[in-house]
């Protein structure tokens, strides 16, 4: 069978590209249904973009690569599409836009766009072999046990990264990249909870609070959640993309509060109050209990010297923790790293080595922050490729 364009992967990027790539498009995926990650994303409501989407919210080997595609198909363009399909949405926090109803509305919208463009979809289809000859891609497929051979002028690789193998994630994009002499940068789980060997926080599992999480060069003001295995919550997922094994993360447990000034004022107002009671007014009481096991929190406010107040404030506003690892690809929302962007056109996503070969979405070495940025990258990079085909 001959097609104009074969798209590998019917996820966010693959479906969006299919809707923009003109006639003669076939999309194949080994999953039973398209857009499975969209379906489960955002707690079932899909955080499909972010109103504040801009280039600084993305990591990658080339800090400029993603700019062109994001500028040419923006969050407002996607929001327009969502509006055309009558999907109701709301901003949750920090510009994050979610469906009011269900994430499957986004999948249905993309399917409708594919149908409108005349794109075909084969599910339960595996890629068995790929070669390039005479300017054409020859792809051997296994479609529900039947062998199929497809010849395509364009090949769009939209098979994503390695996160959540249980949902069908594979390293196919990286294998194809290497086959065509594209480098693959180091890949690692990102937007992922961090773990500690010693069940350090098990006793306060479930406690959450707003914090500033930071490492050199990055900081995020969002919620932290203590878990049986370590630290989670948006602040930790965000900082996990910047953290490396063996390094510490810093946590300001009281962002926006001048703790030293606060304690001094409390000491003047009510010196007989216990320090733990005062801290319990600004921090979760169970966390104060855990902190008390590590540092001296005994006595009343009147017992506190200025020096002790300063030391306490410094510790709680720069609480250093050294994770032993992360939860890994099993739960990571995305893969950091991927197909190196140095030999991919930033305006079209086409390989500079092989005409007609495209890489889009999470497969590329472009990773967004938590908050709808990764889907926006999937939409923008897909449209860039689709428009070029
Ligand atoms: P995606 O992973 O979506 O699609 C790849 C497709 O390729 C899949 O359908 C897969 O089955 C197929 N495939 C893989 N290997 C194959 C092979 N060998 N043969 C055939 N097919 C193959 N982002 C965001 O912006 N907002 C959010 O709310 C969330 N929430 C979220 C929750 C959870 C639990 C996860 C895991 C991730 C998110 N994300 C997110 C991230 C977001 O899901 C992700 O960045 C995009 O889905 C990436 O889109 P792609 O199309 O590149 O890959």
């Amino acid at each position: 069978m001959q097609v104009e364009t074969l798209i590998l992967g019917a996820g966010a990027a693959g479906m969006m590209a299919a809707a923009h790539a003109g006639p003669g498009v076939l999309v194949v995926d080994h999953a039973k249904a398209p857009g499975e990650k969209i379906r489960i994303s955002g707690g079932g409501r899909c955080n499909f973009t972010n109103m504040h989407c801009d280039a600084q919210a993305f990591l990658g080997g080339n800090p400029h690569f993603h700019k062109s595609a994001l500028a040419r198909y923006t969050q407002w363009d996607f929001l327009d599409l969502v509006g055309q399909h009558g999907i109701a949405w709301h901003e949750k926090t920090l510009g994050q836009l979610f469906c009011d109803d269900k994430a499957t509305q986004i999948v249905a919208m993309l399917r409708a766009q594919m149908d409108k463009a005349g794109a075909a979809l084969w599910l339960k289809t595996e890629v068995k072999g790929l070669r390039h000859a005479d300017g054409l891609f020859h792809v051997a497929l296994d479609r529900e046990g039947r062998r199929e051979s497809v010849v395509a002028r364009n090949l769009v690789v939209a098979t994503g990264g390695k996160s959540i193998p249980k949902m069908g994630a594979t390293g196919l994009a990286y294998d194809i990249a290497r086959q065509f002499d594209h480098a693959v940068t180091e890949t690692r789980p990102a937007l992922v909870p961090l773990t500690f060997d010693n069940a350090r926080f098990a006793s306060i599992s479930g406690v959450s609070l707003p914090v500033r999480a930071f490492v050199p060069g990055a900081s995020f003001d969002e919620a932290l959640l203590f878990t049986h295995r370590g630290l989670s919550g948006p602040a930790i997922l965000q900082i996990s993309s910047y953290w490396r094994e063996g390094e510490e993360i810093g946590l300001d447990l009281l962002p926006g509060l001048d703790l030293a000034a606060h304690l001094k004022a409390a000491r003047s107002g009510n010196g007989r109050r216990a320090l733990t009671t005062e801290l319990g007014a600004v921090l979760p009481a169970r966390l104060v209990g855990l902190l008390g096991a590590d540092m001296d929190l005994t006595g009343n406010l009147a017992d506190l010297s200025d020096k002790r107040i300063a030391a306490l404030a410094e510790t709680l506003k720069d609480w250093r923790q050294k994770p032993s690892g992360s939860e890994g690809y099993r739960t990571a929302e995305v893969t950091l790293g991927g197909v190196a962007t140095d030999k991919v056109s930033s305006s079209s996503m086409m390989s500079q080595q092989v005409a007609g070969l495209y890489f889009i979405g999470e497969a590329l070495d472009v990773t967004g922050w938590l908050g709808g940025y990764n889907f926006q990258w999937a939409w923008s990079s897909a449209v860039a490729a689709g428009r070029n085909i």
Side-chain angles (χ1 to χ4, degrees):
M1 175 180 180
Q2 178 131 14
V3 296
E4 192 59 23
T5 303
L6 177 64
I7 300 179
L8 305 180
M15 285 196 283
M16 191 68 170
H20 286 84
V25 172
L26 169 65
V27 186
V28 301
D29 199 299
H30 63 175
K32 283 194 219 118
E36 279 294 86
K37 278 195 188 163
I38 301 174
R39 182 178 62 79
I40 61 151
S41 67
R45 289 218 160 83
C46 186
N47 177 194
F48 53 78
T49 193
N50 193 295
M51 295 203 301
H52 309 311
C53 192
D54 69 25
Q56 57 134 17
F58 294 84
L59 295 81
N62 176 350
H64 306 294
F65 178 81
H66 48 278
K67 289 181 179 172
S68 162
L70 288 168
R72 288 187 305 139
Y73 188 86
T74 68
Q75 61 272 42
W76 312 116
D77 293 319
F78 191 76
L79 205 50
D80 232 31
L81 183 63
V82 166
Q84 283 166 32
H85 285 256
I87 300 173
W89 54 272
H90 61 279
E91 180 191 354
K92 200 167 171 189
T93 174
L94 302 171
Q96 300 169 6
L97 304 188
F98 287 76
C99 298
D100 283 357
D101 194 6
K102 281 189 295 195
T104 47
Q105 292 178 294
I106 300 291
V107 182
M109 176 187 86
L110 294 169
R111 283 294 287 120
Q113 290 294 108
M114 280 173 66
D115 286 347
K116 199 167 134 194
L121 172 64
W122 291 359
L123 296 168
K124 299 184 197 163
T125 301
E126 290 180 21
V127 179
K128 292 294 182 192
L130 164 62
R131 65 190 175 82
H132 186 239
D134 305 326
L136 296 170
F137 297 92
H138 300 256
V139 187
L141 299 168
D142 180 319
R143 185 185 183 195
E144 296 191 57
R146 285 195 318 276
R147 288 202 162 272
E148 299 270 4
S149 170
V150 173
V151 179
R153 191 175 302 281
N154 302 296
L155 182 74
V156 181
V157 182
T159 50
K162 292 201 265 189
S163 49
I164 323 226
K166 249 188 171 172
M167 293 195 67
T170 66
L172 181 65
Y174 312 140
D175 296 339
I176 294 176
R178 290 190 192 99
Q179 179 179 345
F180 291 103
D181 287 330
H182 280 268
V184 177
T185 65
E186 183 203 1
T187 53
R188 40 186 296 120
L191 300 183
V192 66
L194 299 175
T195 55
F196 290 74
D197 280 340
N198 46 9
R200 175 155 167 60
F201 305 115
S203 66
I204 59 165
S205 164
V207 168
S208 103
L209 72 160
V211 300
R212 173 170 301 153
F214 54 89
V215 294
S219 82
F220 294 93
D221 284 22
E222 293 206 49
L224 161 76
L225 172 70
F226 293 97
T227 70
H228 280 283
R229 291 167 53 82
L231 299 175
S232 188
I236 296 302
L237 300 189
Q238 297 280 34
I239 213 69
S240 72
S241 299
Y242 294 84
W243 172 80
R244 292 291 174 275
E245 278 78 8
E247 291 176 1
E248 289 179 333
I249 58 166
L251 294 167
D252 179 347
L253 298 175
L254 290 158
L257 179 74
D258 181 341
L259 182 61
H262 176 87
L263 288 177
K264 283 179 191 168
R267 182 179 60 185
S268 312
N270 186 359
R272 294 216 312 234
R273 203 165 197 213
L275 171 59
T276 49
T277 308
E278 186 56 42
L279 288 176
V282 290
L283 287 170
R286 286 168 67 200
L287 172 59
V288 176
L290 180 115
L291 292 169
D294 275 0
M295 63 185 95
D296 180 15
L297 299 181
T298 56
N300 292 338
L301 296 175
D303 303 331
L304 291 178
S305 63
D306 283 358
K307 199 172 152 198
R308 203 172 144 214
I309 285 181
L312 195 60
E314 201 181 307
T315 307
L316 298 189
K317 294 191 72 72
D318 186 2
W319 197 46
R320 293 297 169 123
Q321 299 299 322
K322 193 171 180 179
S324 47
S326 84
E327 293 284 5
Y329 289 117
R330 191 176 58 82
T331 63
E333 273 199 18
V334 286
T335 304
L336 193 69
V339 178
T341 52
D342 57 345
K343 289 177 182 159
V344 177
S345 156
S346 63
S347 57
S348 68
M349 305 296 131
M350 192 170 83
S351 162
Q352 288 163 354
Q353 319 253 90
V354 184
L357 175 64
Y358 295 80
F359 295 96
I360 58 174
E362 195 180 320
L364 280 164
D365 176 22
V366 176
T367 306
W369 288 350
L370 185 78
Y373 298 97
N374 286 296
F375 277 138
Q376 186 59 45
W377 172 245
W379 318 136
S380 299
S381 57
V383 172
R387 283 178 180 162
N388 195 65
I389 286 171

